Each structure stands twice: as structure tokens, then as C-alpha cells.
Amino acid sequence: MKQYTTPKQTAKLIELGFEPETKIKGVRTVHSKVKIDYVWNFTIGELIDMLGVHLSSIYYIGIEWFVNAEGLECRREELVDALYYTIVCLKEGGVI
């Protein structure tokens, strides 16, 4: 099960005004200097938080996740994808 948005999904959410938490992916040494690699994406929990009070329910049937928010039902094989599409639809519709 995917737990994070893809780079394309992350870019779209940033374009819509959402900011991901900065997460450290790793620390390494490059040419005698410390380099910190960051991850820029959204987790399932962050997506649920974005929906907040607009979220009605999340459930799983068979092979699909269903996300209901503000009368909109979105279903996808991956929960993170269903949450993402719900957020985009509600944000572009001016609901959130």
C-alpha cells in the first residue's frame, strides 16, 4: 500500500497552496561536507488532516478505497490516491 503522494501529485498540491512537511530522507558526506537529503511529499495522515471537517468517511471494499467528503465519493485502489483526488476536486471547486 502506498503511503505517500507521488512527485506529480505533490507538485499539484503545492500548486494548489498546500505545503508538505519537510522530512529528512538521509544524511551523507559529500566532498567532506554533510549533505542532508529531504523528502517533499504528503503522507496519508497529512491528506486526511487537509480534508478535516469536510471528510465524511473512509472505507475499504474488495480492492478499492472509498473516500466521502462534502457529497463527493472518490474510489481508488490506493488510499493515498483516493484522498489526493478528493482534495484536488474540493480545492478546485472552492470547498476547501
Side-chain angles (χ1 to χ4, degrees):
M1 175 158 111
K2 287 176 30 181
Q3 297 181 14
Y4 304 97
T5 54
T6 65
K8 186 175 179 179
Q9 290 171 332
T10 301
K12 178 66 176 180
L13 290 171
I14 291 171
E15 177 186 311
L16 291 173
F18 297 102
E19 285 295 322
E21 281 187 31
T22 304
K23 301 168 202 73
I24 296 176
K25 181 179 182 178
V27 179
R28 56 192 169 107
T29 304
V30 178
H31 305 294
S32 301
K33 294 184 180 181
V34 174
K35 178 159 173 56
I36 300 173
D37 296 318
Y38 295 98
V39 176
W40 296 92
N41 57 24
F42 295 92
T43 65
I44 289 172
E46 290 169 329
L47 296 175
I48 290 171
D49 285 345
M50 284 179 206
L51 287 170
V53 298
H54 304 286
L55 181 63
S56 302
S57 63
I58 298 174
Y59 55 96
Y60 184 76
I61 297 178
I63 61 167
E64 290 186 315
W65 285 94
F66 292 77
V67 174
N68 293 300
E70 295 293 325
L72 173 70
E73 180 177 82
C74 183
R75 59 184 186 181
R76 297 284 189 275
E77 285 186 29
E78 296 287 346
L79 176 56
V80 71
D81 294 335
L83 291 165
Y84 164 78
Y85 287 109
T86 302
I87 290 166
V88 170
C89 287
L90 293 179
K91 182 67 173 179
E92 289 178 342
V95 176
I96 58 174

